[in-house]
Amino acid sequence: MLSPSRRDFVSLTLSESGSYTNSKQWRRRSCWRKWKQLSRLQRSLILLTLMLLLVCGIAISPSLIEHWRGDTVGGNRNDGKQRFVGDLKNEYRSILPEPPSERKDYRRRGPPFLQNRLQFKTNISALMGEENHGPDLKNADKGSEGGKPIISWRGAVIEEEQASDTDTKDTENQDGPALARAESRLEAVREAFRHAWKGYKDFAWGHDELKPISKSYGEWFGLGLTLIDALDTMWILGLKEEFAEAREWVAKELSFDKNVDVNLFESTIRILGGLLSTYHLTGDLMFLDKAKDIGSRLMPAFNTASKIPYSDVNIGKGTAHPPRWTSDSTVAEVTSIQLEFRELSRLTGDTKYKLAVMEVMQQVHKLDGKQDGLVPMFINTNNGLFTHQGIYTLGARADSYYEYLLKQWIQGGRTENELLDDYLLAVEGVKKNLLNKSVPQGLTFVGEMSHGHFSPKMDHLVCFLPGTLALGAHYGLPADHLELAKQLMETCYQMYAQMETGLSPEIVHFNMHEGSTKDVDVKIADRHNLLRPETVESLFYMYRFTQDKKYQQWGWEILQNFNKYTRVPTGGYTSINNVCDPAYPSPRDKMESFFLGETLKYFYLLFSEDPDLISLDKYVFNTEAHPLPIWPQAE
Ligand code: DMJ
């Protein structure tokens, strides 16, 4: 019998360089027998080597780490109810970015092919020939040969994003690179849309909103809100396949004959507005029929003593009512449904829609209780008077009143002077009562007034204002409106740039005290971001009217931060709770329909170099970013 050491020697010799006969016999044995023949020391050595190899392999493969961090966590399960706490925790982690230092190492470590990046070259002919079937895309898509954005596993572009302002200027005078950059940014928006749509399609198809973390959905009205809100965005982005499947759903599945309470304002701007604009872009009468159906079902809201509509309508029963706790409606809500109902009258020849909404405007025009053209936030549906007087804001509950004054005037061919007068008066009211400057940077902001006291509080919602002011200036209103728009645009951008995630909170408070070291404070309850569009919307208007590339660059930064902090790997984007914590932004598990209806659409239009892609001389956007035609002068 061989001693253990001798056996070791023999075995090793066999495995490494044994004779032909010996190795043949060796191969014939089963693996198990081979294993059994090894000494304990040999087995330990082999196991140790294998373990070392495994550990090294993991260490040099960041893609594997990323994979395990959550990219595939949860697999393709479509049932939110069967989830485990552990899965959710992993998924929460999966939308978080690595700390910056780790990210740097990640880029340096290992050869490029080990890094899990998707590198693509935009194929312009493919885009032109197969994908871009929107009516106005031909010019926007020229010359993208040089476009080589590198996209991380989260979809964030990680090289072009480094482009400095200097880079922007360098390429300004060279059509090729500038157009290539435009195309790569447009493609990044299409990619973001497809990612959001994938989540909606996989987990929320036909429902109101995607809950991307739990891979389920939420219902508000039960009318496929996200799908309808996204229709014209798909058309504009040239996403033909996605549009076709959504159209199919609207044609075959969407029914408004439902015993359900809907909010008049929300269903007007998202559903009626979305259907009308899609009808205009496509010429498809099916969308007009659906628009007529929902429009007429919303009309019972106007059956009130004052003709100021109730907030809620049951579209199946034909009944309407105010919220349970009050007989008031919100001023912004009753004055931001006019573009849609006026257009419905024009298309159907039935004046009842426009008469109902114009009556509201006429009453509000005459009402006491305004301060320098600024309106209170509530109006009573019984007596038609403002309530809760003395509080003035350009934010929630009043915002789109101002927006629709200007836009109705534009829609109607700029002949309705009362609307223009009220708009101009309100802008002066803002300047006199609500404008202020922050310390230390002197950012111009719009605060609020409460019973004579100024509060330096500004909602992100107010960031619609730079765009609206610029639109007015485009239509010949005073040039200082554009100057104010530029200042406010800078402020809205800073509401993003000064946050740790580069994403704006819902509300900020500006510092005005001498000696303040930072301009913006955020209260704990206000740190959330709902993927709102207002800043991107205004960036779009500012770029269209000034052609200043810094607005595109700011938008580009914001898009990348949405990708870094709100993108859910399995599909969709999520609202987050905390824009101040890049290590844990705390996802809310909800993708609002306006992210597809507005935010991504405005990103696309911002990055497009084609002024005819939804020309602002032909269309006016409703407050949910659905373009409606400006009427020919005669109408
Ligand atoms: C949208 O529904 C509309 O833009 C509305 O005017 C305000 N709120 C959301 C987006 O923030």
Side-chain angles (χ1 to χ4, degrees):
M1 196 172 159
L2 293 168
S3 72
S5 60
R6 180 69 184 146
R7 272 175 62 190
D8 287 347
F9 173 77
V10 171
S11 302
L12 286 171
T13 304
L14 279 172
S15 68
E16 283 169 20
S17 59
S19 71
Y20 172 71
T21 329
N22 279 348
S23 67
K24 220 176 165 186
Q25 287 167 351
W26 183 262
R27 259 183 253 118
R28 258 186 245 123
R29 289 177 193 152
S30 72
C31 287
W32 179 241
R33 284 183 61 203
K34 275 186 241 168
W35 180 252
K36 294 279 268 182
Q37 281 179 342
L38 298 176
S39 72
R40 194 170 298 158
L41 180 64
Q42 284 175 312
R43 286 186 213 161
S44 305
L45 276 171
I46 291 170
L47 284 174
L48 194 67
T49 313
L50 283 174
M51 277 173 67
L52 275 171
L53 283 172
L54 190 68
V55 169
C56 290
I58 290 173
I60 61 166
S61 174
S63 62
L64 264 180
I65 293 173
E66 294 301 328
H67 185 75
W68 287 354
R69 271 185 182 169
D71 200 13
T72 57
V73 169
N76 287 324
R77 270 175 300 156
N78 195 356
D79 182 0
K81 289 178 203 139
Q82 291 174 16
R83 307 194 50 69
F84 300 103
V85 176
D87 289 352
L88 285 178
K89 273 194 192 145
N90 279 335
E91 282 191 347
Y92 280 18
R93 212 177 333 130
S94 74
I95 71 157
L96 304 179
E98 314 91 308
S101 54
E102 204 183 314
R103 258 205 311 266
K104 248 185 180 170
D105 290 340
Y106 166 73
R107 289 212 187 123
R108 267 192 251 117
R109 208 165 39 210
F113 64 84
L114 282 179
Q115 299 182 17
N116 190 9
R117 296 173 181 178
L118 169 63
Q119 187 166 5
F120 68 86
K121 192 185 233 174
T122 309
N123 181 340
I124 190 61
S125 54
L127 285 171
M128 290 291 285
E130 293 162 27
E131 218 179 1
N132 291 340
H133 296 273
D136 294 302
L137 295 179
K138 52 190 185 305
N139 294 324
D141 289 330
K142 272 178 205 158
S144 68
E145 279 300 293
K148 291 183 191 173
I150 296 176
I151 302 205
S152 82
W153 65 275
R154 287 190 188 86
V157 177
I158 56 181
E159 284 201 351
E160 203 200 2
E161 73 189 33
Q162 312 300 328
S164 62
D165 282 348
T166 327
D167 295 337
T168 309
K169 277 170 204 139
D170 282 350
T171 53
E172 256 166 28
N173 297 324
Q174 305 163 16
D175 278 357
L179 285 173
R181 189 187 53 232
E183 176 51 38
S184 75
R185 289 177 176 183
L186 292 172
E187 184 52 36
V189 181
R190 285 188 208 108
E191 192 279 335
F193 185 96
R194 283 196 197 97
H195 184 79
W197 189 249
K198 174 186 162 20
Y200 179 73
K201 199 175 158 185
D202 287 353
F203 309 120
W205 184 250
H207 298 285
D208 283 343
E209 287 157 342
L210 168 67
K211 296 173 83 170
I213 306 284
S214 53
K215 300 193 181 80
S216 58
Y217 56 83
E219 292 295 28
W220 190 6
F221 309 144
L223 296 173
L225 213 50
T226 295
L227 188 149
I228 300 173
D229 226 358
L231 284 166
D232 56 6
T233 304
M234 289 183 266
W235 186 261
I236 291 166
L237 269 59
L239 301 176
K240 199 180 177 189
E241 270 176 36
E242 290 84 350
F243 180 83
E245 62 196 354
R247 187 217 175 267
E248 190 75 355
W249 184 86
V250 174
K252 296 202 172 138
E253 307 289 333
L254 178 61
S255 167
F256 296 123
D257 191 11
K258 272 189 166 177
N259 178 9
V260 60
D261 276 357
V262 303
N263 174 283
L264 170 69
F265 164 74
E266 298 291 358
S267 46
T268 299
I269 65 170
R270 301 185 199 214
I271 301 176
L272 179 56
L275 292 168
L276 286 174
S277 80
T278 308
Y279 162 67
H280 278 295
L281 294 176
T282 62
D284 184 339
L285 284 167
M286 185 273 292
F287 293 111
L288 180 57
D289 287 342
K290 294 283 179 186
K292 285 183 205 162
D293 190 11
I294 185 68
S296 58
R297 287 172 186 273
L298 291 173
M299 288 306 284
F302 296 89
N303 294 336
T304 65
S306 66
K307 305 283 177 219
I308 301 295
Y310 288 132
S311 59
D312 297 288
V313 192
N314 186 305
I315 52 173
K317 289 187 188 160
T319 55
H321 59 89
R324 242 173 260 136
W325 58 91
T326 176
S327 53
D328 290 350
S329 285
T330 299
V331 170
E333 291 194 359
V334 301
T335 57
S336 310
I337 50 181
Q338 280 66 18
L339 292 176
E340 299 81 356
F341 280 102
R342 281 158 49 117
E343 178 60 13
L344 189 58
S345 273
R346 193 179 74 98
L347 290 170
T348 59
D350 186 340
T351 56
K352 73 174 177 223
Y353 306 110
K354 80 170 178 191
L355 292 177
V357 293
M358 288 169 78
E359 164 76 22
V360 178
M361 292 313 295
Q362 279 149 21
Q363 286 197 39
V364 171
H365 172 72
K366 288 184 208 144
L367 271 186
D368 288 336
K370 294 182 205 137
Q371 171 144 359
D372 303 313
L374 304 177
V375 288
M377 297 190 290
F378 297 99
I379 187 164
N380 189 273
T381 51
N382 294 325
N383 60 24
L385 300 176
F386 288 132
T387 66
H388 303 81
Q389 295 193 32
I391 302 175
Y392 302 99
T393 174
L394 266 275
R397 300 185 185 282
D399 48 0
S400 43
Y401 160 73
Y402 305 101
E403 180 188 349
Y404 267 37
L405 285 175
L406 178 74
K407 288 183 171 177
Q408 286 174 81
W409 176 70
I410 293 171
Q411 178 191 43
R414 289 171 279 151
T415 56
E416 296 154 288
N417 291 334
E418 275 183 4
L419 294 165
L420 177 63
D421 292 346
D422 286 353
Y423 176 74
L424 291 171
L425 191 63
V427 174
E428 292 311 304
V430 170
K431 287 192 216 163
K432 182 175 161 194
N433 298 286
L434 304 182
L435 276 193
N436 229 315
K437 294 227 183 240
S438 68
V439 177
Q441 287 187 33
L443 299 172
T444 304
F445 68 91
V446 182
E448 296 184 356
M449 185 67 77
S450 176
H451 305 290
H453 296 290
F454 179 79
S455 161
K457 164 181 178 276
M458 180 165 154
D459 294 355
H460 181 273
L461 287 169
V462 180
C463 289
F464 80 93
L465 188 58
T468 299
L469 287 169
L471 180 64
H474 174 71
Y475 275 104
L477 303 190
D480 73 322
H481 287 203
L482 183 59
E483 290 316 304
L484 179 57
K486 287 178 185 171
Q487 291 174 27
L488 292 173
M489 192 73 261
E490 166 80 36
T491 304
C492 289
Y493 167 64
Q494 290 299 332
M495 285 164 62
Y496 285 71
Q498 294 195 11
M499 298 302 123
E500 288 82 348
T501 55
L503 292 175
S504 172
E506 179 74 356
I507 299 170
V508 297
H509 285 76
F510 287 93
N511 282 317
M512 294 168 61
H513 318 291
E514 280 305 313
S516 290
T517 51
K518 56 174 187 164
D519 294 82
V520 183
D521 274 337
V522 186
K523 297 196 187 306
I524 289 177
D526 304 334
R527 296 183 307 192
H528 48 291
N529 179 297
L530 306 184
L531 312 170
R532 285 196 191 277
E534 290 76 16
T535 294
V536 188
E537 168 186 355
S538 282
L539 287 170
F540 154 64
Y541 285 104
M542 295 306 289
Y543 182 66
R544 272 281 168 101
F545 297 134
T546 68
Q547 293 291 293
D548 186 337
K549 298 245 179 241
K550 82 177 173 199
Y551 298 123
Q552 288 184 323
Q553 186 59 27
W554 292 352
W556 186 234
E557 287 169 24
I558 293 170
L559 175 61
Q560 285 163 87
N561 290 324
F562 276 130
N563 273 329
K564 279 181 192 156
Y565 297 105
T566 71
R567 183 172 165 116
V568 180
T570 43
Y573 288 74
T574 179
S575 303
I576 55 173
N577 281 314
N578 191 356
V579 297
C580 303
D581 186 354
Y584 191 69
S586 176
R588 277 195 164 187
D589 195 17
K590 184 169 177 176
M591 183 173 80
E592 301 276 354
S593 80
F594 51 68
F595 183 63
L596 299 189
E598 297 193 71
T599 312
L600 291 178
K601 185 188 290 151
Y602 282 130
F603 270 127
Y604 192 82
L605 294 171
L606 166 66
F607 299 140
S608 168
E609 299 295 349
D610 184 357
D612 292 329
L613 182 57
I614 315 296
S615 162
L616 290 171
D617 294 316
K618 293 184 183 147
Y619 291 95
V620 61
F621 285 89
N622 86 340
T623 193
E624 190 75 6
H626 298 303
L628 298 173
I630 294 171
W631 302 340
Q633 289 293 335
E635 291 181 73

